[in-house]
Amino acid sequence: MRFARSAALCLLAGTVTIGPGCETRPPAGPTPAVTQRENETATPTRRKEYEMTKTDQAWREQLTPEQYDVTRQKGTERPFTGKYWATTTPGVYRCVCCGQPLFHSEAKFDAGCGWPSFSEPAAEEHIDEQPDHSHGRVRTEVQCSRCGAHLGHVFKDGPQPTGLRYCINSAALDLEAADEQAEAKEPPDDAATGGS
């Protein structure tokens, strides 16, 4: 009875906890796709100078409202709603803001948390990690090292050999499928035959 009462109180308060290491979310319903700001109580960190910078207005024009909220405002998409959480398509996951390769599909695994999860980045230097003290807990935020886009968080509960789980928002990613990569590398048919 005590569990049922506390569960009812949590639902009345508008929160639901989704497994260890995952986010606290409002219950499903007619809420916006992005439901949580990660920087509301975050500890300020030293601002890095990024290779790619744009004005806030330029980011708003380039990105969808959800992509902007997640990558530029440190929002989080609701679990099991993102474009890539269950995708098994081979390819490279790139930063939706600047196109930098972030993760390879070979490193993707199903963590059961509702967000795309990866055991390692495409290249260590393509991501930055920052301490995140928001929401009353200590986590490690993951950002694109080229443009500073908020991607998600990394946890130490992933598969071996890395033991890491990069829990990433779909809205921060753009999947370049392996077949698209092959097409980009192949010359057009008329170029291969000497043209016409």
Side-chain angles (χ1 to χ4, degrees), residues 72-172:
R72 308 324 303 177
Q73 300 295 307
K74 299 187 180 193
T76 300
E77 65 197 10
R78 289 177 37 213
F80 305 101
T81 63
K83 183 176 181 178
Y84 301 123
W85 76 269
T87 299
T88 58
T89 304
V92 175
Y93 290 86
R94 295 180 175 275
C95 176
V96 74
C97 296
C98 70
Q100 176 160 256
L102 299 171
F103 300 96
H104 292 289
S105 59
E106 294 86 7
K108 189 172 187 286
F109 67 99
D110 182 4
C113 65
W115 290 277
S117 297
F118 303 88
S119 58
E120 63 185 351
E124 292 289 331
E125 63 271 13
H126 288 189
I127 62 164
D128 287 336
E129 296 180 3
Q130 299 290 327
D132 178 357
H133 301 281
S134 63
H135 307 295
R137 25 185 224 195
V138 178
R139 297 178 294 174
T140 302
E141 178 188 2
V142 180
Q143 300 173 332
C144 173
S145 66
R146 181 194 265 166
C147 69
H150 169 75
L151 305 173
H153 293 86
V154 61
F155 301 97
K156 295 181 180 180
D157 61 359
Q160 294 302 320
T162 67
L164 299 175
R165 173 173 59 99
Y166 288 86
C167 186
I168 307 297
N169 290 284
S170 289

Side-chain angles (χ1 to χ4, degrees), residues 22-39:
C22 290
E23 306 299 326
T24 301
R25 299 270 157 243
T31 57
V34 176
T35 58
Q36 177 180 14
R37 298 257 191 243
E38 305 225 358
N39 62 349

